[in-house]
């Protein structure tokens, strides 16, 4: 019951803070677009696109990391989106460090809330990652990995066990730099 109440409070606070930050940041972006030739509905559309870029890129980074895929392009998009957001925030601010900081805070707060909530998102399951099963003979085939990858996987497992815990998919991914599917299979065969 207590955990459920904590979740309700956490989500409520995050929603209020995120909503306020999004509204303020969105308004700065709209005003910036309107003051630079994007009038009427175009100013609103520009604000939606600019504010949405960072959110979508963050979600894609989360999914790509969980799947063990490279996430360089989504990271470039995220950095670009944040830079454009910050430009829009400070462009309309009082010309002082305090004015720029105050103007940037709503967008930074909104991005921080989104990032904090994304940490709690479950790992996505993708159709191209089959689960090992006895009914699927291909998933039970053993493959000889290159020696350097095997050594990194063994190091990840040993380190986790030396710390008094069972190794996780994330441990193996981080140390061995292998995709999540391979890390899961290693853990299944290691048990």
């Amino acid at each position: 019951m207590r955990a459920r109440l904590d979740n309700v409070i956490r989500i409520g606070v995050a929603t209020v803070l995120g909503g306020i930050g999004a509204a303020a940041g969105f308004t700065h972006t709209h005003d910036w677009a309107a003051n630079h030739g994007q009038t009427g509905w175009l100013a609103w559309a520009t604000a939606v696109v600019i504010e949405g870029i960072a959110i979508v890129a963050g979600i894609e980074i989360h999914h790509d990391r969980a799947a063990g895929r490279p996430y360089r392009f989504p990271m470039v998009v995220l950095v670009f989106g944040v830079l454009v957001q910050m430009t829009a925030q400070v462009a309309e601010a009082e010309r002082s460090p305090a004015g720029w900081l105050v103007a940037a805070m709503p967008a930074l707060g909104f991005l921080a809330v989104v990032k904090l909530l994304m940490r709690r998102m479950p790992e996505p399951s993708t159709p191209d990652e089959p689960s090992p099963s006895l009914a699927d003979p291909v998933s039970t085939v053993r493959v000889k990995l290159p020696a350097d990858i095997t050594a990194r996987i063994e190091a990840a497992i040993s380190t986790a066990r030396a710390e008094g815990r069972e190794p996780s998919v994330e441990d193996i991914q981080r140390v061995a730099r292998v995709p999540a599917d391979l890390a899961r299979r290693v853990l299944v065969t290691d048990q």
Side-chain angles (χ1 to χ4, degrees), residues 76-123:
V76 169
V77 172
L78 175 65
V79 168
F80 173 76
V82 170
L83 287 175
V84 173
Q85 277 184 332
M86 289 304 103
T87 300
Q89 304 310 306
V90 301
E92 299 297 313
E94 172 187 303
R95 303 282 177 221
S96 71
W100 296 324
L101 179 64
V102 169
M105 286 311 297
L108 290 173
F110 174 68
L111 290 173
V113 166
V114 169
K115 178 63 178 163
L116 289 169
L117 291 177
M118 282 177 46
R119 293 174 348 142
R120 297 196 178 264
M121 286 176 57
E123 280 193 23

Side-chain angles (χ1 to χ4, degrees), residues 122-141:
E123 280 193 23
S125 59
T126 57
D128 59 326
E129 286 185 25
S131 302
S133 96
L134 295 176
D136 177 11
V138 175
S139 68
T140 59
V141 171

